[in-house]
Amino acid sequence: MDHPTSWSAQAAKPKRANLLRYIAMLILALIILVGIAVIIVWLVLKPKKLEYSVENAAIHNFNLTDANHLYANFDFSIRSYNPNSRVSIYYDTVEVSVRYEDQTLATNAVQPFFQSHKNVTRLHVGLTAQTVALYESVPKDLKLEKSSGDIELDVLVRARIRFKVGSWKSKHRVLRIFCSPVLVHFSKAKSFERVSCEVEL
């Protein structure tokens, strides 16, 4: 009397396995189709590389103590250009840093903003180095450059962005911008030379 039940259980196992295999293949096919659709949209839109440059820079209240601590105010005007005709960008977080010889002197956050297509956005960023301890040869080199009237700095921007095309929005991506060398003059008589930045996405 036990044989019919045993046979029915064994017959149900292949059916269950086939159903699971079918569901897995269906999910995989959907993932592949979505991926192909995203690639096609991306290729059709042909997104162009974002363009960044430092348009102006200044240093105020520069003071390097005998204990090798730096106090200074840095002001930068950064130009951001989105050359794409269909792609807009959400800048959800933006952080700007200024470095000298690989040592970070100051960091500040910029308010999140939205940049539409074919748009130029100018960021006016103020950063403060407040009793920053300097190491190794940095204090000596800073003093030498200060006496010459100019200082070469690196400006870095790190942002979490999302692309927007119509109603579609991408996932977050990290945008890194490196501007160097940014030659800052202590004398207002000298004009600032625009610096183009490297953009990595």
Side-chain angles (χ1 to χ4, degrees):
M1 294 296 293
D2 293 333
H3 291 295
T5 303
S6 177
W7 277 106
S8 63
Q10 291 179 10
K13 287 182 180 179
K15 290 182 180 180
R16 191 179 297 109
N18 288 336
L19 179 61
L20 292 173
R21 192 179 297 113
Y22 174 77
I23 292 172
M25 289 177 64
L26 183 62
I27 292 171
L28 180 61
L30 286 173
I31 292 171
I32 292 172
L33 287 173
V34 170
I36 291 172
V38 170
I39 291 170
I40 291 173
V41 169
W42 200 248
L43 291 174
V44 168
L45 294 173
K46 293 180 181 178
K48 297 177 183 178
K49 200 170 186 179
L50 303 175
E51 298 176 14
Y52 270 80
S53 59
V54 178
E55 302 292 308
N56 199 9
I59 300 178
H60 309 285
N61 304 319
F62 183 94
N63 182 30
L64 182 56
T65 69
D66 293 335
N68 294 332
H69 286 84
L70 175 68
Y71 183 91
N73 294 320
F74 303 92
D75 293 318
F76 297 101
S77 178
I78 302 172
R79 180 182 183 270
S80 168
Y81 175 52
N82 175 15
N84 296 285
S85 57
R86 299 179 184 177
V87 181
S88 300
I89 306 163
Y90 289 97
Y91 286 80
D92 291 321
T93 62
V94 183
E95 186 179 83
V96 181
S97 300
V98 57
R99 291 194 319 195
Y100 179 82
E101 294 184 356
D102 295 328
Q103 182 170 352
T104 300
L105 303 180
T107 302
N108 198 5
V110 175
Q111 285 292 327
F113 64 95
F114 175 76
Q115 187 175 41
S116 59
H117 46 80
K118 293 287 184 181
N119 172 265
V120 173
T121 300
R122 285 180 170 81
L123 307 175
H124 300 287
V125 187
L127 303 95
T128 299
Q130 192 162 7
T131 60
V132 176
L134 304 179
Y135 304 102
E136 298 178 356
S137 64
V138 170
K140 179 183 175 183
D141 295 343
L142 262 179
K143 287 176 183 177
L144 289 172
E145 289 198 37
K146 170 69 166 59
S147 63
S148 73
D150 307 311
I151 289 182
E152 284 190 358
L153 301 171
D154 300 327
V155 177
L156 295 86
V157 181
R158 187 181 186 278
R160 291 180 75 241
I161 66 172
R162 290 174 293 149
F163 294 106
K164 181 178 184 291
V165 181
S167 59
W168 176 81
K169 298 174 185 176
S170 73
K171 293 182 178 179
H172 278 108
R173 302 187 67 179
V174 177
L175 175 69
R176 294 181 177 87
I177 300 148
F178 182 67
C179 314
S180 179
V182 179
L183 186 63
V184 185
H185 308 298
F186 283 94
S187 172
K188 293 182 179 179
K190 294 182 179 180
S191 59
F192 179 81
E193 292 186 12
R194 176 179 175 272
V195 179
S196 296
C197 306
E198 296 179 13
V199 179
E200 179 185 319
L201 185 61

